[in-house]
Amino acid sequence: MSNYLILSAILFGIGTFTVISRRNAIGILLGIELLLNAVNLNFIAFAFLRENSVGLVFVLFTIAVTVAEVALGLAIVILIFRLKKTIQADEVNLLKG
Amino acid sequence: MPEGTQIIFFITAALLLISALGVAFLKNLFHSVLALAAVLVLTAVLFLTLQAEFVAAVQILLYTGGVITLVVFAIMLTEKLIGTRLTQTNRKMAVAGSLSLALVLFLVYAIRQEKLLDFSKGFSFDATREIASGFLSEFVVPFEALSLLLLASLIGALVLAKEDENE
Amino acid sequence: MNLNAQLALWVFLLPTLAAIILGVVYPLRRSGKPAAYLSIFGVGLSTIFSIWNLILIKSTPVSVSIKYHWLPASSGALAYVGLWLDSISAVMLAVVSGVALAVQVYSLGYMSQESKPSLGRYYTYHSLFAASMLGLVLANNLLEVYLFWELVGVCSYLLIGFWYHKPEAARAAVKAFWVTRFGDMGLILGIILLWGQTGTFDYQEIFSLVKTSQIPLGFLSLVSVLMLLGAFGKSAQFPFHIWLPDAMEGPTPVSALIHAATMVAAGVYLVIRLFPLFESVPLALGVLTYVGSFTALLAASLATRQADIKRVLAYSTVSQLGFMMAALGVTAQVASYFHLFNHAFFKALLFLAAGSVIHSVGSNNLSEMGNLSKKMRITSAVFIAGGLALAGIWPFSGFFSKDEILVAVGRSGQVLPLLFLLLTTFLTAFYIFRAVFLVFYGPKKTEADPHESPRVMTSPMLILAALSLVTGWFSGDFEHLLYPGLEVETYPSALPWISLGLAIIGILTAWLFYQKQKRAPALLTRSLSPLSQAIDRKYWLDDLYGLMYSKILLGFSSLIGWIDRYLVDGVVNLSAWLTGQSGSKLRIAQTGKAQDYLIGVTVGLLVLIILGLGLR
């Protein structure tokens, strides 16, 4: 059991790394996918341990919401791209100050 | 755990880690996306070992099928518009690396502290049936709300990505 | 309301109404003569009513106190204003309105050169002053008297500085206000302390509390000394006397009214009015006696060397007020009030006559006059009459009242004050007749062509002169009026003879110096030169005050200013600067890049995990 958890922890760490270090906005979204995956794995492991189906339901919800989020995220990326002509995350600092 | 499952677990886990590292480090964005696809499929396999068949199926359908497709399209759109291959490196690698490492280490340490229950039993009932009945009884409201959410995001994405008519 | 009270009320209301009308109705005020007539009409009626009142009271003494609620509070100390009419206030009403009438009529002639709006302004102030003074006289509680006290001070300021384009006049007005303000601080402090102890401002309530010994003596001493400060300020006693000579910058009729007969007498009147308060406080009485007698001598000595005729009279007023204060100190209120009564008339007379001289000669300076008795018969006659009254020569009024004071002081056994006062008597006769001889006799030293003043100016003077001759004989009636039932005791005493002798010697000395031998004054001056120098510099008192002001007060102010700018403001500025600094430092974290914020989130997550682990 703890193997599964450790695995998900490592995945989470790699996901964090991706999100912080990738310059491309779409790269960042990929990192977010990794994070979410790690979390789902965690949930399922615990659901298996406790013989509780609620964990599975939750994961389903998560997946569905993630899909929606990705769609919107990409739409925003495209918009920002139109605005700033770049999808380098470094250069999008409109919130500065 | 019985030997067979463990072997599957370790192989899958290893491949999973390699693919995840691929997502993080591959310079070509397309390659990263493919690595992500691998990650998602392998995760589905892991779900199978945990007797969450339905979830595994949904994972492959939605994630691997839907999300990857979306991302590929997005890359194609933006890359085409710029016309160049995009570079992926970032100056903050050191910080990110150390932070992530620290995070992982602490989490692992925390997990190790726990005395976990016996993991061998698994579901004694049909989990899928439980999910289905759950959706229509206990979780009916979130279920319906989810459909609303999907509708909203659909419309939202359309509106956001639409070209301005005046231009 | 009984007739007396009604009359008294009208005595107050008439000038008030005149003042309000003149104040509000621009065209009337600007028109000059009509404004004057309105004001004179108001005061004239007041005089008639107050004399009528006095006659009524003479036959049936009365003590009426009326209160009007003027605040929504139906009870409590602040709730009402009112008037208290008894023989004390009735006499003062008559004096104030009478002298005011004389002065206002006289002003028609004296101020005839003024432009119309200016004349209107003058009479507005006069009416306002009359109203304020009459209100002060009639007040029946401490807060009310303070209100009118301040009003009277304001009118004094306005009238001293009437010719406001003259810098000396403006300065003198401010000086007068400022110095009396000092005294007023004492007064209001005393009033408030007394209220704190007794819970009331009402005269009669306070008197009954004092009489039944419900107020501790120490406290009462403090309160009475504080109030005396106010009285000394208004009545120009040492050390507050410095404003009165400077106040002579105002028009002469104003000097006659305010700074001779009425306003400066307010201090004395206050003490007389509140005498039940003071008579049980030995400290207050002692202060009164010593300050009064010392001031009398001080001022008289200063008067002997003045070159300006009005300043001679100003110092004379201070000196005579000192007499009154000293009399109060030995609990001889009747003598004091009687002297106030007489002094009002003859001093006003002297001022008006001086004004007449100034008007015809064009200068205030004694050395620019001379030999006027031939051309200005009436003026010289009335001035001499006033001078004789001031010096205390029988049968003029001053003789009677001054002697009563001397006898009272002598009987009290206080030697030093008595000596001061006797010396003052000599000096008084001397300085006033010095003025007489320099102005009306001797060689003519003026370029102008002197002429007698018009009838509008000489008639008031003649009336006042007649009063100066006559009022002295009524001392018995006076006592009876004020304190019916009081036994009038007569004491055989050598003092009246001594003072008469001194006065005559004073006159003779003046005659010798200024009529006969001209060298003697110069000789005396040289032999007493330190003293005469001191006198010329007014004993350096003005300089002392000026120094105190510029060094101490202004120094203190700049210290406070520095503290305010650098310390108080400094704290505020410092916190503002700190905020700005910390803001600009913290701003660095706001890069606007999402990934940086994510780093922050991760760090936070780490911290939480560590904390969670640690808490295990």
mmCIF file of all heavy atoms in Angstrom, chain C residues 426-460:
data_model
loop_
_atom_site.group_PDB
_atom_site.id
_atom_site.type_symbol
_atom_site.label_atom_id
_atom_site.label_comp_id
_atom_site.label_asym_id
_atom_site.label_seq_id
_atom_site.Cartn_x
_atom_site.Cartn_y
_atom_site.Cartn_z
ATOM 1 N N PHE C 426 -0.408 113.912 48.730
ATOM 2 C CA PHE C 426 0.449 115.053 48.408
ATOM 3 C C PHE C 426 0.754 115.081 46.908
ATOM 4 O O PHE C 426 0.599 116.106 46.245
ATOM 5 C CB PHE C 426 1.743 114.935 49.224
ATOM 6 C CG PHE C 426 2.817 115.862 48.767
ATOM 7 C CD1 PHE C 426 2.707 117.233 48.977
ATOM 8 C CD2 PHE C 426 3.926 115.385 48.083
ATOM 9 C CE1 PHE C 426 3.689 118.099 48.544
ATOM 10 C CE2 PHE C 426 4.922 116.247 47.658
ATOM 11 C CZ PHE C 426 4.799 117.611 47.883
ATOM 12 N N LEU C 427 1.182 113.956 46.402
ATOM 13 C CA LEU C 427 1.566 113.894 44.999
ATOM 14 C C LEU C 427 0.389 114.182 44.081
ATOM 15 O O LEU C 427 0.556 114.815 43.030
ATOM 16 C CB LEU C 427 2.146 112.526 44.663
ATOM 17 C CG LEU C 427 3.547 112.262 45.222
ATOM 18 C CD1 LEU C 427 3.960 110.836 44.913
ATOM 19 C CD2 LEU C 427 4.548 113.232 44.633
ATOM 20 N N THR C 428 -0.787 113.740 44.491
ATOM 21 C CA THR C 428 -1.968 113.973 43.650
ATOM 22 C C THR C 428 -2.198 115.455 43.438
ATOM 23 O O THR C 428 -2.367 115.930 42.314
ATOM 24 C CB THR C 428 -3.217 113.359 44.309
ATOM 25 O OG1 THR C 428 -2.943 112.005 44.616
ATOM 26 C CG2 THR C 428 -4.418 113.451 43.402
ATOM 27 N N ALA C 429 -2.195 116.164 44.589
ATOM 28 C CA ALA C 429 -2.415 117.610 44.471
ATOM 29 C C ALA C 429 -1.334 118.230 43.611
ATOM 30 O O ALA C 429 -1.602 119.084 42.749
ATOM 31 C CB ALA C 429 -2.422 118.233 45.859
ATOM 32 N N PHE C 430 -0.110 117.741 43.819
ATOM 33 C CA PHE C 430 1.014 118.299 43.078
ATOM 34 C C PHE C 430 0.831 118.103 41.576
ATOM 35 O O PHE C 430 0.916 119.050 40.800
ATOM 36 C CB PHE C 430 2.307 117.630 43.555
ATOM 37 C CG PHE C 430 3.512 118.063 42.795
ATOM 38 C CD1 PHE C 430 4.025 119.338 42.969
ATOM 39 C CD2 PHE C 430 4.122 117.211 41.872
ATOM 40 C CE1 PHE C 430 5.135 119.754 42.257
ATOM 41 C CE2 PHE C 430 5.220 117.631 41.164
ATOM 42 C CZ PHE C 430 5.734 118.902 41.352
ATOM 43 N N TYR C 431 0.611 116.876 41.166
ATOM 44 C CA TYR C 431 0.640 116.657 39.722
ATOM 45 C C TYR C 431 -0.525 117.303 39.001
ATOM 46 O O TYR C 431 -0.386 117.767 37.875
ATOM 47 C CB TYR C 431 0.795 115.187 39.330
ATOM 48 C CG TYR C 431 -0.327 114.221 39.661
ATOM 49 C CD1 TYR C 431 -1.591 114.347 39.094
ATOM 50 C CD2 TYR C 431 -0.099 113.151 40.504
ATOM 51 C CE1 TYR C 431 -2.592 113.452 39.380
ATOM 52 C CE2 TYR C 431 -1.095 112.252 40.795
ATOM 53 C CZ TYR C 431 -2.344 112.404 40.231
ATOM 54 O OH TYR C 431 -3.333 111.520 40.517
ATOM 55 N N ILE C 432 -1.695 117.344 39.686
ATOM 56 C CA ILE C 432 -2.811 117.919 38.965
ATOM 57 C C ILE C 432 -2.665 119.426 38.830
ATOM 58 O O ILE C 432 -3.002 120.019 37.800
ATOM 59 C CB ILE C 432 -4.165 117.499 39.587
ATOM 60 C CG1 ILE C 432 -5.297 117.822 38.615
ATOM 61 C CG2 ILE C 432 -4.408 118.149 40.906
ATOM 62 C CD1 ILE C 432 -5.280 116.981 37.416
ATOM 63 N N PHE C 433 -2.084 120.016 39.849
ATOM 64 C CA PHE C 433 -1.912 121.458 39.704
ATOM 65 C C PHE C 433 -0.707 121.813 38.879
ATOM 66 O O PHE C 433 -0.654 122.913 38.295
ATOM 67 C CB PHE C 433 -1.945 122.157 41.068
ATOM 68 C CG PHE C 433 -3.351 122.460 41.457
ATOM 69 C CD1 PHE C 433 -4.102 121.529 42.138
ATOM 70 C CD2 PHE C 433 -3.926 123.641 41.041
ATOM 71 C CE1 PHE C 433 -5.415 121.785 42.445
ATOM 72 C CE2 PHE C 433 -5.247 123.912 41.340
ATOM 73 C CZ PHE C 433 -5.998 122.990 42.043
ATOM 74 N N ARG C 434 0.234 120.921 38.786
ATOM 75 C CA ARG C 434 1.286 121.117 37.785
ATOM 76 C C ARG C 434 0.641 121.253 36.417
ATOM 77 O O ARG C 434 0.961 122.162 35.623
ATOM 78 C CB ARG C 434 2.219 119.904 37.817
ATOM 79 C CG ARG C 434 3.128 119.776 36.615
ATOM 80 C CD ARG C 434 4.027 118.557 36.797
ATOM 81 N NE ARG C 434 4.826 118.329 35.613
ATOM 82 C CZ ARG C 434 4.521 117.458 34.656
ATOM 83 N NH1 ARG C 434 3.438 116.721 34.746
ATOM 84 N NH2 ARG C 434 5.322 117.306 33.604
ATOM 85 N N ALA C 435 -0.289 120.343 36.160
ATOM 86 C CA ALA C 435 -0.992 120.404 34.883
ATOM 87 C C ALA C 435 -1.756 121.715 34.747
ATOM 88 O O ALA C 435 -1.710 122.377 33.705
ATOM 89 C CB ALA C 435 -1.925 119.212 34.749
ATOM 90 N N VAL C 436 -2.454 122.079 35.814
ATOM 91 C CA VAL C 436 -3.249 123.315 35.759
ATOM 92 C C VAL C 436 -2.373 124.495 35.392
ATOM 93 O O VAL C 436 -2.675 125.278 34.486
ATOM 94 C CB VAL C 436 -3.943 123.561 37.114
ATOM 95 C CG1 VAL C 436 -4.458 124.977 37.203
ATOM 96 C CG2 VAL C 436 -5.062 122.571 37.320
ATOM 97 N N PHE C 437 -1.244 124.606 36.095
ATOM 98 C CA PHE C 437 -0.408 125.774 35.862
ATOM 99 C C PHE C 437 0.224 125.755 34.493
ATOM 100 O O PHE C 437 0.342 126.776 33.823
ATOM 101 C CB PHE C 437 0.663 125.890 36.950
ATOM 102 C CG PHE C 437 0.088 126.273 38.270
ATOM 103 C CD1 PHE C 437 0.303 125.507 39.396
ATOM 104 C CD2 PHE C 437 -0.708 127.417 38.387
ATOM 105 C CE1 PHE C 437 -0.238 125.868 40.622
ATOM 106 C CE2 PHE C 437 -1.268 127.771 39.594
ATOM 107 C CZ PHE C 437 -1.032 127.005 40.711
ATOM 108 N N LEU C 438 0.634 124.559 34.068
ATOM 109 C CA LEU C 438 1.283 124.507 32.759
ATOM 110 C C LEU C 438 0.296 124.796 31.632
ATOM 111 O O LEU C 438 0.655 125.367 30.617
ATOM 112 C CB LEU C 438 1.903 123.123 32.536
ATOM 113 C CG LEU C 438 3.242 122.903 33.231
ATOM 114 C CD1 LEU C 438 3.717 121.480 32.981
ATOM 115 C CD2 LEU C 438 4.276 123.873 32.689
ATOM 116 N N VAL C 439 -0.938 124.353 31.825
ATOM 117 C CA VAL C 439 -1.904 124.490 30.736
ATOM 118 C C VAL C 439 -2.542 125.875 30.714
ATOM 119 O O VAL C 439 -2.638 126.518 29.681
ATOM 120 C CB VAL C 439 -2.995 123.416 30.844
ATOM 121 C CG1 VAL C 439 -4.087 123.677 29.831
ATOM 122 C CG2 VAL C 439 -2.415 122.039 30.650
ATOM 123 N N PHE C 440 -3.002 126.281 31.878
ATOM 124 C CA PHE C 440 -3.861 127.463 31.859
ATOM 125 C C PHE C 440 -3.164 128.747 32.230
ATOM 126 O O PHE C 440 -3.708 129.825 32.006
ATOM 127 C CB PHE C 440 -5.049 127.244 32.804
ATOM 128 C CG PHE C 440 -5.939 126.126 32.337
ATOM 129 C CD1 PHE C 440 -5.948 124.903 32.988
ATOM 130 C CD2 PHE C 440 -6.747 126.288 31.236
ATOM 131 C CE1 PHE C 440 -6.756 123.879 32.565
ATOM 132 C CE2 PHE C 440 -7.559 125.279 30.796
ATOM 133 C CZ PHE C 440 -7.563 124.067 31.464
ATOM 134 N N TYR C 441 -1.999 128.675 32.817
ATOM 135 C CA TYR C 441 -1.317 129.879 33.232
ATOM 136 C C TYR C 441 0.039 129.905 32.579
ATOM 137 O O TYR C 441 0.360 129.126 31.699
ATOM 138 C CB TYR C 441 -1.244 129.940 34.760
ATOM 139 C CG TYR C 441 -2.623 130.059 35.351
ATOM 140 C CD1 TYR C 441 -3.274 128.923 35.828
ATOM 141 C CD2 TYR C 441 -3.296 131.277 35.356
ATOM 142 C CE1 TYR C 441 -4.550 129.024 36.331
ATOM 143 C CE2 TYR C 441 -4.583 131.383 35.855
ATOM 144 C CZ TYR C 441 -5.207 130.245 36.338
ATOM 145 O OH TYR C 441 -6.479 130.330 36.820
ATOM 146 N N GLY C 442 0.850 130.812 32.996
ATOM 147 C CA GLY C 442 2.184 130.853 32.436
ATOM 148 C C GLY C 442 2.173 131.384 31.020
ATOM 149 O O GLY C 442 1.135 131.764 30.460
ATOM 150 N N PRO C 443 3.333 131.374 30.401
ATOM 151 C CA PRO C 443 3.438 131.951 29.060
ATOM 152 C C PRO C 443 2.779 131.041 28.032
ATOM 153 O O PRO C 443 2.715 129.838 28.190
ATOM 154 C CB PRO C 443 4.950 132.037 28.826
ATOM 155 C CG PRO C 443 5.537 131.026 29.754
ATOM 156 C CD PRO C 443 4.618 130.908 30.907
ATOM 157 N N LYS C 444 2.343 131.682 27.005
ATOM 158 C CA LYS C 444 1.671 130.928 25.952
ATOM 159 C C LYS C 444 2.703 130.258 25.079
ATOM 160 O O LYS C 444 3.600 130.901 24.556
ATOM 161 C CB LYS C 444 0.837 131.909 25.130
ATOM 162 C CG LYS C 444 0.133 131.300 23.953
ATOM 163 C CD LYS C 444 -0.922 132.289 23.456
ATOM 164 C CE LYS C 444 -1.677 131.746 22.291
ATOM 165 N NZ LYS C 444 -1.167 131.969 20.989
ATOM 166 N N LYS C 445 2.587 128.957 24.953
ATOM 167 C CA LYS C 445 3.600 128.239 24.189
ATOM 168 C C LYS C 445 3.064 127.601 22.925
ATOM 169 O O LYS C 445 3.729 126.805 22.290
ATOM 170 C CB LYS C 445 4.215 127.122 25.047
ATOM 171 C CG LYS C 445 4.975 127.628 26.243
ATOM 172 C CD LYS C 445 5.746 126.517 26.916
ATOM 173 C CE LYS C 445 5.977 126.913 28.371
ATOM 174 N NZ LYS C 445 5.639 125.849 29.286
ATOM 175 N N THR C 446 1.827 127.918 22.590
ATOM 176 C CA THR C 446 1.266 127.204 21.448
ATOM 177 C C THR C 446 1.125 128.142 20.263
ATOM 178 O O THR C 446 0.995 129.351 20.419
ATOM 179 C CB THR C 446 -0.091 126.600 21.795
ATOM 180 O OG1 THR C 446 -0.608 125.984 20.632
ATOM 181 C CG2 THR C 446 -1.051 127.653 22.261
ATOM 182 N N GLU C 447 1.202 127.538 19.087
ATOM 183 C CA GLU C 447 1.083 128.322 17.873
ATOM 184 C C GLU C 447 -0.368 128.568 17.523
ATOM 185 O O GLU C 447 -0.710 129.550 16.897
ATOM 186 C CB GLU C 447 1.727 127.564 16.686
ATOM 187 C CG GLU C 447 3.184 127.225 16.907
ATOM 188 C CD GLU C 447 4.041 128.467 16.827
ATOM 189 O OE1 GLU C 447 3.852 129.261 15.893
ATOM 190 O OE2 GLU C 447 4.894 128.662 17.703
ATOM 191 N N ALA C 448 -1.206 127.590 17.940
ATOM 192 C CA ALA C 448 -2.608 127.683 17.497
ATOM 193 C C ALA C 448 -3.337 128.806 18.195
ATOM 194 O O ALA C 448 -2.863 129.357 19.184
ATOM 195 C CB ALA C 448 -3.293 126.355 17.763
ATOM 196 N N ASP C 449 -4.493 129.122 17.708
ATOM 197 C CA ASP C 449 -5.299 130.172 18.294
ATOM 198 C C ASP C 449 -6.397 129.537 19.132
ATOM 199 O O ASP C 449 -7.388 129.040 18.599
ATOM 200 C CB ASP C 449 -5.910 131.014 17.167
ATOM 201 C CG ASP C 449 -6.739 132.138 17.742
ATOM 202 O OD1 ASP C 449 -6.409 132.608 18.855
ATOM 203 O OD2 ASP C 449 -7.718 132.534 17.100
ATOM 204 N N PRO C 450 -6.196 129.489 20.437
ATOM 205 C CA PRO C 450 -7.160 128.757 21.257
ATOM 206 C C PRO C 450 -8.472 129.521 21.399
ATOM 207 O O PRO C 450 -8.507 130.739 21.404
ATOM 208 C CB PRO C 450 -6.449 128.649 22.602
ATOM 209 C CG PRO C 450 -5.494 129.778 22.617
ATOM 210 C CD PRO C 450 -5.132 130.099 21.208
ATOM 211 N N HIS C 451 -9.525 128.727 21.474
ATOM 212 C CA HIS C 451 -10.843 129.320 21.620
ATOM 213 C C HIS C 451 -11.681 128.405 22.494
ATOM 214 O O HIS C 451 -11.387 127.220 22.632
ATOM 215 C CB HIS C 451 -11.502 129.487 20.253
ATOM 216 C CG HIS C 451 -11.526 128.186 19.484
ATOM 217 N ND1 HIS C 451 -12.552 127.299 19.590
ATOM 218 C CD2 HIS C 451 -10.635 127.629 18.636
ATOM 219 C CE1 HIS C 451 -12.302 126.240 18.821
ATOM 220 N NE2 HIS C 451 -11.130 126.429 18.236
ATOM 221 N N GLU C 452 -12.724 128.979 23.049
ATOM 222 C CA GLU C 452 -13.575 128.153 23.903
ATOM 223 C C GLU C 452 -14.332 127.154 23.044
ATOM 224 O O GLU C 452 -14.630 127.395 21.877
ATOM 225 C CB GLU C 452 -14.551 129.056 24.684
ATOM 226 C CG GLU C 452 -15.358 128.308 25.726
ATOM 227 C CD GLU C 452 -14.518 127.529 26.710
ATOM 228 O OE1 GLU C 452 -14.055 128.119 27.704
ATOM 229 O OE2 GLU C 452 -14.310 126.322 26.483
ATOM 230 N N SER C 453 -14.696 126.046 23.678
ATOM 231 C CA SER C 453 -15.368 124.991 22.929
ATOM 232 C C SER C 453 -16.842 125.296 22.779
ATOM 233 O O SER C 453 -17.402 126.080 23.558
ATOM 234 C CB SER C 453 -15.195 123.661 23.665
ATOM 235 O OG SER C 453 -13.843 123.359 23.721
ATOM 236 N N PRO C 454 -17.471 124.673 21.832
ATOM 237 C CA PRO C 454 -18.901 124.951 21.627
ATOM 238 C C PRO C 454 -19.736 124.466 22.794
ATOM 239 O O PRO C 454 -19.291 123.679 23.627
ATOM 240 C CB PRO C 454 -19.242 124.141 20.363
ATOM 241 C CG PRO C 454 -18.175 123.130 20.265
ATOM 242 C CD PRO C 454 -16.947 123.731 20.850
ATOM 243 N N ARG C 455 -20.964 124.914 22.835
ATOM 244 C CA ARG C 455 -21.822 124.636 23.973
ATOM 245 C C ARG C 455 -22.098 123.158 24.159
ATOM 246 O O ARG C 455 -22.238 122.685 25.269
ATOM 247 C CB ARG C 455 -23.159 125.379 23.817
ATOM 248 C CG ARG C 455 -23.312 126.418 24.886
ATOM 249 C CD ARG C 455 -24.725 126.818 25.039
ATOM 250 N NE ARG C 455 -25.372 126.863 23.750
ATOM 251 C CZ ARG C 455 -26.345 127.710 23.453
ATOM 252 N NH1 ARG C 455 -26.743 128.564 24.349
ATOM 253 N NH2 ARG C 455 -26.911 127.687 22.274
ATOM 254 N N VAL C 456 -22.128 122.436 23.025
ATOM 255 C CA VAL C 456 -22.423 121.005 23.157
ATOM 256 C C VAL C 456 -21.339 120.313 23.959
ATOM 257 O O VAL C 456 -21.545 119.265 24.543
ATOM 258 C CB VAL C 456 -22.609 120.371 21.759
ATOM 259 C CG1 VAL C 456 -21.264 120.214 21.059
ATOM 260 C CG2 VAL C 456 -23.295 119.053 21.861
ATOM 261 N N MET C 457 -20.157 120.926 23.978
ATOM 262 C CA MET C 457 -19.085 120.342 24.783
ATOM 263 C C MET C 457 -19.037 120.933 26.174
ATOM 264 O O MET C 457 -18.705 120.248 27.140
ATOM 265 C CB MET C 457 -17.730 120.552 24.087
ATOM 266 C CG MET C 457 -17.564 119.620 22.899
ATOM 267 S SD MET C 457 -16.222 120.035 21.805
ATOM 268 C CE MET C 457 -14.818 119.664 22.791
ATOM 269 N N THR C 458 -19.336 122.196 26.303
ATOM 270 C CA THR C 458 -19.192 122.785 27.629
ATOM 271 C C THR C 458 -20.357 122.454 28.546
ATOM 272 O O THR C 458 -20.184 122.388 29.777
ATOM 273 C CB THR C 458 -19.061 124.318 27.544
ATOM 274 O OG1 THR C 458 -20.186 124.813 26.826
ATOM 275 C CG2 THR C 458 -17.785 124.699 26.842
ATOM 276 N N SER C 459 -21.525 122.220 28.001
ATOM 277 C CA SER C 459 -22.654 121.936 28.901
ATOM 278 C C SER C 459 -22.458 120.669 29.717
ATOM 279 O O SER C 459 -22.647 120.678 30.941
ATOM 280 C CB SER C 459 -23.957 121.825 28.114
ATOM 281 O OG SER C 459 -23.974 122.717 27.061
ATOM 282 N N PRO C 460 -22.078 119.554 29.089
ATOM 283 C CA PRO C 460 -21.840 118.376 29.949
ATOM 284 C C PRO C 460 -20.803 118.656 31.006
ATOM 285 O O PRO C 460 -20.917 118.204 32.146
ATOM 286 C CB PRO C 460 -21.359 117.311 28.964
ATOM 287 C CG PRO C 460 -21.812 117.764 27.637
ATOM 288 C CD PRO C 460 -21.858 119.229 27.672
#
